Amino acid sequence: MSNKENSAVVRGELAIARSLYAFVENELCPDSGVTHEEFWDSLESIVKQLGPRNAQLLKKRDELQAQIDDWHRAHREQAHDPDGYRAFLKSIGYLCDKIDAVQLQTSKIDREIAVVPGPQLVVPLDNARYVLNAANARWGSLYDALYGTDAVGEDDGAERTRKYNPIRGDRVINYARDFLDRHFGLDKGSHSQATAYRVKDGELFVRMGNGNNGQLLRPERLVGYTGDPDKPDTIILGKNDLWVELKFGEGYFIGRRDHANIYDIVLESAISAIMDCEDSVASVDVDDKLTVYRNWLGLVKGSLKETFEKDGETINRELVSDREILDRDGKQRLLPGRCLMLVRNVGAHLETDAVLLNGEPIAETILDAMITCLAGKHDLLGNSRYKNSREGSIYVVKPKMHGPEEVALAGKLFDLVEDALGIERHTLKMGIMDEERRTSVNLASCIAQVPERVFFINTGFLDRTGDEIHTCMEAGPVLPKEEMKSAQWLLSYENSNVDLGLASGFMGRAQIGKGMWAAPDAMAAMIQTKIGHPKAGATTAWVPSPTVATLHAMHYHLLDVRERQRDLLARSKELIDDMLSLPLLPEDRVLSDLEKQLELENNAQGLLGYVSRWVGQGIGCSKVPDINNVDLMEDCATLRISSQHIANWLYHGLYTEKQVRETMEKMAHFVDSQNALDPNYSPMTGHLDSSFRFQAALDLIFKGREQPNGYTEYILTESRRGVKSSAAAE
């Protein structure tokens, strides 16, 4: 975060970028009960207390990695010794002594976290339009999601066309009626035969085309309605703590021919949303960071608005209200209109020069904690149009923590922030992202550091795989990237996370999460496969868009996650050794030159496709076409895998440096062609030697082994600053 040309305000031993100082004074602090003078005095005190410990723990990461590198080099020519490896990791303090699961003591947890199973959005906080869409994605049109994606087939005249296709519309309606029959079945007939719905004496009556009436087989699944009970505007049904809304009337093209006058079926979709300051954001200076902070504050206070053009129409976007309905007894009830919002701070390894202490940058995660939590306090105080946490908690997701010492430091940071901001102890809840190897193998000890704060643990293929490759970099060449997904370490990691969460009392109290569906346009495949996440015992899983959230929500109707968790409680197996298994190519596995080249081209194209946007346009997360022109959601975590994988195979002689450079040049031409229609994209080819984007991509590979834990942000940030500096000089 460069604050050059953004003159600093000196306060005590801090030098603060003037624009950040003004934001805190004029926007963040008013009505918070904290003056801006108190804010900066507290920040200085916290940085002095925790900064040295943070630096010490980052140094310990490097020292542990160096020892692991030495061990692998010394044992590279020998058969892998799992017992010896485990003993070694324990001797250097990488692996902690095994402890019994500590029971959570977290209190004041919202039902969206503790009770309701469902999808979770992750969205970059630097894009106001995206975060508003995410916050409003609590409810989503099933008709839209089916009609506009490949979830419904396009055969026999049901193609997606610019003009409304009634054949496709009928297919959508039939799909939705099947959904209703499966989850809200009738004692007589089918929803596909319905011609009218009404509510009487707390019961739902469905009139059939043959004149008969049907009722819900499970009457308690009627939640409520709006309008005249004899001819309601909406009917709300519920299963597994999730709601479904039938909307009656005219005006929506998909349902215009519906014989029951249902013009849409709306599902409770994204139950919570992570508003991200981290991996999905390209934030390299104080101006970038202020956009992130302002958007979070605007979300919390309900004041954030965005106006944009779409298809020639001006659209105004803001947060939506809660929904007023009448329950089965005709009494008024309020249903949440928005997702529960969480905020993800950056990792402990990043620094910001938006604030200097005695001339040195401070840990950015400390600044994030102070600002995002003071913004969150406005929700506690009622300084908002809408309530986010009805239980009075602030939910902070902490990424990239390495083991229990770092979790303990984060807990201490939360203590000091609460004291500084006048917030009751344990109001700040902590989501532990189980995405680094040292956290995975010590997860019980990590939870034990902050049992009063933990509200979620999760798993994910992306960062966890990047760390896995980097940790065993010296051991040998790793498996091809796709084969990593079925490697023993990953399967054990996924199961262990769920087992440990259940043993720690997460059921009915906290979230157990799973990772992202990366292909936002492949909805037929998503519907087929992502049922695996609730089946694994996870109460939530990440999705990249509101549409995916709506379709994934169907899985949580199909499977009762709490029942599944009860089944899994009996599962008990020691998985540490399996998690410590190395994902290396078997010695007798010989890859052909073609196999190696295809792997290289795949990784190089993905790397360049993402870096060209991050560095060139400041886009931290977007749909990036892969080598087969399939759009995939990319962020720093996906980049970490691609760069580390190439670096590993290059180091162990599966590639030559010449081969890598030639392939990168070839893929630069390919990526340029994929972005040819983007008016904001500048080609890399023609000036590769001077391209910040291309050179950054090369550095991520050729300097990949020396990047701490294989992280990409250091190189990306330096290169992005170069682009912005060059643009400012023109």
Side-chain angles (χ1 to χ4, degrees):
M1 310 292 152
S2 177
N3 62 16
K4 294 176 182 178
E5 302 180 14
N6 191 347
S7 57
V9 174
V10 177
R11 181 174 179 83
E13 297 176 51
L14 297 182
I16 307 145
R18 188 168 297 277
S19 57
L20 177 63
Y21 190 88
F23 166 76
V24 170
E25 179 179 6
N26 300 322
E27 301 176 50
L28 183 65
C29 284
D31 302 319
S32 71
V34 178
T35 67
H36 71 279
E37 295 92 349
E38 291 169 337
F39 178 92
W40 294 116
D41 290 347
S42 296
L43 178 68
E44 179 178 339
S45 174
I46 293 172
V47 170
K48 287 180 176 178
Q49 289 183 69
L50 301 188
R53 178 59 174 162
N54 192 70
Q56 182 184 48
L57 290 176
L58 292 177
K59 182 180 179 183
K60 183 173 182 177
R61 291 185 190 181
D62 295 339
E63 292 171 346
L64 288 172
Q65 184 61 55
Q67 290 173 290
I68 292 171
D69 288 344
D70 289 342
W71 195 90
H72 283 313
R73 280 191 289 265
H75 295 81
R76 194 181 292 162
E77 304 304 320
Q78 306 168 16
H80 181 61
D81 175 11
D83 292 337
Y85 183 51
R86 180 171 180 165
F88 160 71
L89 293 177
K90 194 167 183 179
S91 72
I92 64 173
Y94 183 97
L95 186 61
C96 301
D97 291 334
K98 181 181 177 182
I99 67 168
D100 293 332
V102 172
Q103 294 300 297
L104 287 191
Q105 301 168 33
T106 328
S107 60
K108 296 184 179 179
I109 298 295
D110 286 87
R111 66 184 296 273
E112 289 88 344
I113 299 293
V115 176
V116 184
Q120 186 170 72
L121 279 166
V122 184
V123 60
L125 251 176
D126 61 350
N127 189 306
R129 177 178 169 183
Y130 290 174
V131 295
L132 285 167
N133 286 346
N136 291 338
R138 182 64 173 259
W139 298 86
S141 167
L142 181 60
Y143 280 9
D144 275 351
L146 294 171
Y147 189 92
T149 71
D150 68 350
V152 168
E154 297 189 65
D155 56 313
D156 297 329
E159 295 87 357
R160 282 176 279 175
T161 56
R162 290 182 62 86
K163 186 178 179 181
Y164 175 64
N165 182 345
I167 298 174
R168 185 168 184 80
D170 287 346
R171 187 170 290 185
V172 166
I173 291 171
N174 291 337
Y175 189 112
R177 290 300 200 279
D178 288 342
F179 172 82
L180 293 178
D181 282 339
R182 171 173 284 191
H183 302 295
F184 306 100
L186 305 175
D187 62 351
K188 296 176 184 177
S190 161
H191 287 279
S192 63
Q193 301 167 315
T195 59
Y197 290 73
R198 68 189 179 99
V199 177
K200 182 179 179 181
D201 299 328
E203 302 284 346
L204 179 64
F205 292 87
V206 182
R207 187 76 170 172
M208 304 297 166
N210 59 10
N212 292 332
N213 279 324
Q215 293 180 257
L216 290 174
L217 285 168
R218 301 285 296 274
E220 71 278 7
R221 290 186 178 172
L222 173 64
V223 176
Y225 63 95
T226 63
D228 182 348
D230 287 328
K231 192 178 180 182
D233 296 327
T234 67
I235 287 174
I236 297 89
L237 306 172
K239 180 186 176 187
N240 297 343
D241 292 299
L242 290 169
W243 297 309
V244 174
E245 181 183 48
L246 312 186
K247 299 174 77 74
F248 300 91
E250 305 290 339
Y252 194 49
F253 61 89
I254 294 177
R256 66 172 61 166
R257 305 196 309 171
D258 187 87
H259 45 255
N261 207 30
I262 297 176
Y263 75 82
D264 200 2
I265 296 176
V266 177
L267 304 190
E268 194 179 17
S269 299
I271 307 305
S272 56
I274 296 175
M275 305 302 178
D276 191 21
C277 304
E278 197 227 8
D279 261 2
S280 63
V281 173
S283 178
V284 302
D285 56 31
V286 69
D287 291 336
D288 291 342
K289 199 69 183 188
L290 279 174
T291 298
V292 170
Y293 289 153
R294 279 198 175 95
N295 284 347
W296 174 239
L297 180 62
L299 284 172
V300 172
K301 298 182 78 171
S303 59
L304 185 64
K305 298 180 180 180
E306 181 75 355
T307 300
F308 55 93
E309 298 291 326
K310 184 176 181 180
D311 299 329
E313 181 182 357
T314 299
I315 298 175
N316 298 306
R317 188 66 43 82
E318 60 184 315
L319 293 177
V320 299
S321 302
D322 292 332
R323 296 175 168 224
E324 294 183 4
I325 70 166
L326 299 173
D327 67 15
R328 295 171 60 188
D329 298 323
K331 297 178 181 178
Q332 287 191 339
R333 179 178 177 183
L334 208 60
L335 301 184
R338 302 163 307 285
C339 300
L340 179 71
M341 297 185 297
L342 328 174
V343 63
R344 179 163 67 168
N345 290 177
V346 302
H349 59 298
L350 298 180
E351 293 182 333
T352 175
D353 60 7
V355 179
L356 306 176
L357 176 68
N358 295 321
E360 297 296 325
I362 69 168
E364 188 173 342
T365 194
I366 298 178
L367 182 63
D368 269 7
M370 282 288 286
I371 289 182
T372 61
C373 292
L374 185 52
K377 185 181 178 184
H378 286 284
D379 181 53
L380 307 181
L381 295 173
N383 298 335
S384 174
R385 292 175 61 198
Y386 306 111
K387 195 69 178 168
N388 183 44
S389 170
R390 290 165 175 80
E391 295 293 330
S393 291
I394 300 171
Y395 298 96
V396 182
V397 178
K398 290 289 290 183
K400 295 179 175 58
M401 294 189 291
H402 289 242
E405 290 177 302
E406 296 193 15
V407 175
L409 182 64
K412 180 62 175 176
L413 172 60
F414 281 19
D415 286 348
L416 295 177
V417 169
E418 286 169 340
D419 292 343
L421 303 183
I423 297 173
E424 183 180 338
R425 180 66 82 235
H426 301 143
T427 295
L428 304 183
K429 304 302 191 293
M430 185 185 300
I432 297 177
M433 294 195 62
D434 181 4
E435 58 184 350
E436 306 295 326
R437 192 171 184 254
R438 189 149 56 107
T439 291
S440 298
V441 296
N442 299 299
L443 187 56
S445 295
C446 291
I447 294 172
Q449 305 305 311
V450 285
E452 308 90 354
R453 294 194 185 275
V454 178
F455 74 91
F456 100 162
I457 53 175
N458 74 338
T459 60
F461 173 74
L462 300 176
D463 262 311
R464 184 65 179 77
T465 302
D467 192 51
E468 189 74 26
I469 296 172
H470 189 83
T471 304
C472 68
M473 180 68 72
E474 295 291 335
V478 297
L479 292 166
K481 187 166 66 176
E482 192 64 27
E483 294 180 28
M484 284 278 191
K485 296 178 181 178
S486 57
Q488 183 61 56
W489 72 268
L490 183 63
L491 301 177
S492 302
Y493 152 70
E494 293 282 0
N495 288 338
S496 179
N497 180 278
V498 173
D499 292 352
L500 200 282
L502 294 177
S504 301
F506 276 54
M507 186 188 300
R509 193 164 205 159
Q511 282 183 333
I512 299 175
K514 294 293 181 186
M516 179 67 76
W517 179 262
D521 298 325
M523 291 299 93
M526 189 281 295
I527 290 171
Q528 286 294 317
T529 60
K530 203 169 171 67
I531 183 65
H533 283 158
K535 187 180 287 187
T539 54
T540 192
W542 284 5
V543 290
S545 74
T547 295
V548 187
T550 298
L551 295 174
H552 181 41
M554 293 191 295
H555 292 136
Y556 298 91
H557 288 276
L558 188 62
L559 189 147
D560 186 332
V561 176
R562 279 170 293 188
E563 286 294 327
R564 178 60 178 155
Q565 288 183 336
R566 291 185 189 100
D567 293 340
L568 293 173
L569 273 171
R571 183 174 68 183
S572 178
K573 181 183 177 184
E574 172 61 66
L575 297 173
I576 295 297
D577 287 336
D578 289 340
M579 275 196 284
L580 292 174
S581 63
L582 304 180
L584 304 179
L585 274 173
E587 291 185 5
D588 59 355
R589 172 90 176 271
V590 179
L591 297 176
S592 69
D593 290 343
L594 179 59
E595 286 177 302
K596 290 184 285 187
Q597 181 62 27
L598 290 176
E599 185 80 13
L600 175 58
E601 290 181 2
N602 185 295
N603 281 319
Q605 184 275 337
L607 190 159
L608 284 163
Y610 179 69
V611 170
S612 63
R613 296 186 181 190
W614 204 105
V615 173
Q617 297 172 258
I619 300 174
C621 182
S622 65
K623 290 198 297 186
V624 178
D626 70 3
I627 201 166
N628 299 309
N629 286 310
V630 175
D631 284 341
L632 299 176
M633 296 302 296
E634 301 279 354
D635 63 11
C636 287
T638 57
L639 180 63
R640 188 181 181 192
I641 299 177
S642 298
S643 58
Q644 287 294 295
H645 200 281
I646 299 175
N648 175 269
W649 280 22
L650 174 65
Y651 178 58
H652 290 287
L654 278 71
Y655 305 138
T656 65
E657 181 177 334
K658 180 174 181 291
Q659 179 185 9
V660 171
R661 289 185 180 276
E662 289 177 348
T663 301
M664 290 289 285
E665 291 181 12
K666 174 184 174 182
M667 289 298 107
H669 284 275
F670 185 68
V671 169
D672 282 349
S673 69
Q674 289 180 310
N675 289 276
L677 298 179
D678 182 353
N680 298 315
Y681 182 87
S682 298
M684 292 176 282
T685 49
H687 47 87
L688 291 177
D689 290 343
S690 60
S691 169
F692 283 105
R693 293 164 294 156
F694 187 73
Q695 293 305 315
L698 291 181
D699 285 347
L700 286 165
I701 295 169
F702 294 118
K703 298 179 182 179
R705 285 176 54 237
E706 62 198 60
Q707 295 306 300
N709 306 107
Y711 291 136
T712 62
E713 294 96 329
Y714 305 111
I715 290 172
L716 290 176
T717 297
E718 181 181 359
S719 300
R720 175 65 184 155
R721 285 182 174 181
V723 168
K724 295 185 79 170
S725 178
S726 295
E730 291 179 358

